[in-house]
Amino acid sequence: MFFTVLTIFPEMFDLFWNHGIVRRAIEHKKILASAVNIRDYAADRHQATDDRPYGGGSGMVMKPEPLAAAIRDAARMRSGAKTVLMTPQGRVFNQKMARELASSDGLILVCGRYEGVDERICHDLIDYEISIGDYVLTGGELAGMVIIDAVSRLIPGALGGEDAAEKDSFSDDLLEHAHYTRPVIFEGQEVPEVLLSGHHQQIDDWRLESSVMRTLLKRPDLLQKKDLTRPEREILEKWRREIEYILQVQK
Ligand code: 4GY
């Protein structure tokens, strides 16, 4: 799949394309990625991409013409692309959306700056508005990188260890189990013994229990909306009984 980023700061992506998962995906030809300067589509001699807001007020607004020209050019070069505007007004990004986007042909990510983008761009040239969370950035670039990072690692073959992305947090609406590596004792804290046992079934059971309990303690909201499997339900019931017992003997 491909990612075309439209931005007035394409240099922000130079390091991003050249490290980690994104770089690996590019090298393995799983993704094509480029950052295009919206300023290259500005017609006036100052190459302005912003202008004063109608109605007055402080700050500037992203001019529609250069942005429209940049979007149309990108869409012409990359047919099948969906255009995405990065904005706090969009649908809040999550793992399910990452999976949906990963199955598309490609994305044209529009990164705004200043106080905002001329509304008429949104109406005619944008397929989706996506937010990475309820806070305000100074531009859409970091948000675009978040989307590209999360989507890239879901593309088959991009990660290396094929199924790794499927196992981690949120792919089944549970948080990841705890992780340990050497040494066996670090600053007085030991690695849970079962992980050293080589007993694969017991290790899988321990990991599921770790996942379920961490989700219960750290993100109970995720359990509310999840269809629990039978083993997951059994773990929760076991702990519910355990906790009830503890509270009862305390009285
Ligand atoms: N939050 N999620 C976000 C953002 C900055 C003014 C439009 C966000 O995605 N993007 O805060 N973007 C604004 C800045 C122009 C983008």
Side-chain angles (χ1 to χ4, degrees), residues 2-246:
F2 57 83
F3 297 102
T4 304
V5 179
L6 306 182
T7 168
I8 57 167
F9 296 120
E11 335 70 72
M12 282 182 75
F13 288 82
D14 292 349
L15 287 170
F16 180 68
W17 301 138
N18 283 306
H19 105 285
I21 242 313
V22 173
R23 180 191 184 145
R24 188 125 32 104
I26 293 170
E27 282 170 357
H28 291 173
K29 304 207 187 322
K30 302 293 174 188
I31 68 173
L32 268 176
S34 63
V36 171
N37 198 337
I38 296 163
R39 205 173 289 285
D40 294 344
Y41 293 86
D44 66 310
R45 68 192 168 86
H46 300 290
Q47 291 201 295
T49 53
D50 62 336
D51 204 344
R52 296 190 317 271
Y54 275 122
S58 64
M60 299 293 268
V61 175
M62 213 145 189
K63 280 167 71 69
E65 304 96 321
L67 197 47
I71 294 171
R72 290 204 168 97
D73 206 30
R76 187 177 54 75
M77 286 189 278
R78 302 260 187 252
S79 69
K82 292 291 176 195
T83 54
V84 180
L85 179 68
M86 301 315 306
T87 164
Q89 300 191 15
R91 220 170 108 201
V92 180
F93 189 61
N94 61 23
Q95 192 65 21
K96 181 160 170 261
M97 289 160 74
R99 279 195 294 269
E100 282 167 20
L101 295 178
S103 67
S104 72
D105 291 343
L107 301 176
I108 296 169
L109 297 163
V110 179
C111 303
R113 281 270 156 178
Y114 319 114
E115 300 309 304
V117 171
D118 189 288
E119 184 66 18
R120 294 162 294 183
I121 287 291
C122 313
H123 286 179
D124 293 344
L125 292 164
I126 298 295
D127 295 315
Y128 309 114
E129 292 186 355
I130 296 181
S131 166
I132 61 162
D134 293 337
Y135 37 79
V136 183
L137 304 169
T138 52
E141 287 80 6
L142 285 170
M145 290 183 203
V146 167
I147 304 293
I148 294 168
D149 189 276
V151 171
S152 297
R153 62 190 291 289
L154 297 179
I155 296 170
L159 210 57
E162 290 296 304
D163 66 348
E166 268 311 294
K167 280 196 182 167
D168 46 45
S169 288
F170 292 106
S171 62
D172 52 6
D173 288 321
L174 286 180
L175 300 183
E176 277 271 80
H177 56 74
H179 296 279
Y180 296 91
T181 185
R182 294 186 297 177
V184 167
I185 303 176
F186 173 71
E187 299 186 351
Q189 301 180 80
E190 288 185 38
V191 173
E193 214 173 315
V194 60
L195 299 180
L196 311 174
S197 69
H199 195 305
H200 298 301
Q201 184 58 53
Q202 284 182 11
I203 292 170
D204 283 351
D205 291 349
W206 181 89
R207 287 184 169 159
L208 182 64
E209 181 152 352
S210 173
S211 282
V212 171
M213 293 315 292
R214 286 156 84 86
T215 310
L216 178 66
L217 294 172
K218 297 183 181 193
R219 292 293 307 277
D221 58 304
L222 294 177
L223 288 179
Q224 291 288 303
K225 63 181 182 191
K226 181 174 174 9
D227 278 327
L228 294 171
T229 64
R230 191 188 175 109
E232 289 163 0
R233 228 179 12 248
E234 282 168 1
I235 291 165
L236 281 171
E237 271 158 25
K238 185 188 89 179
W239 276 97
R240 195 167 291 138
R241 283 194 299 273
E242 184 85 9
I243 290 165
E244 269 168 22
Y245 171 75
I246 293 170

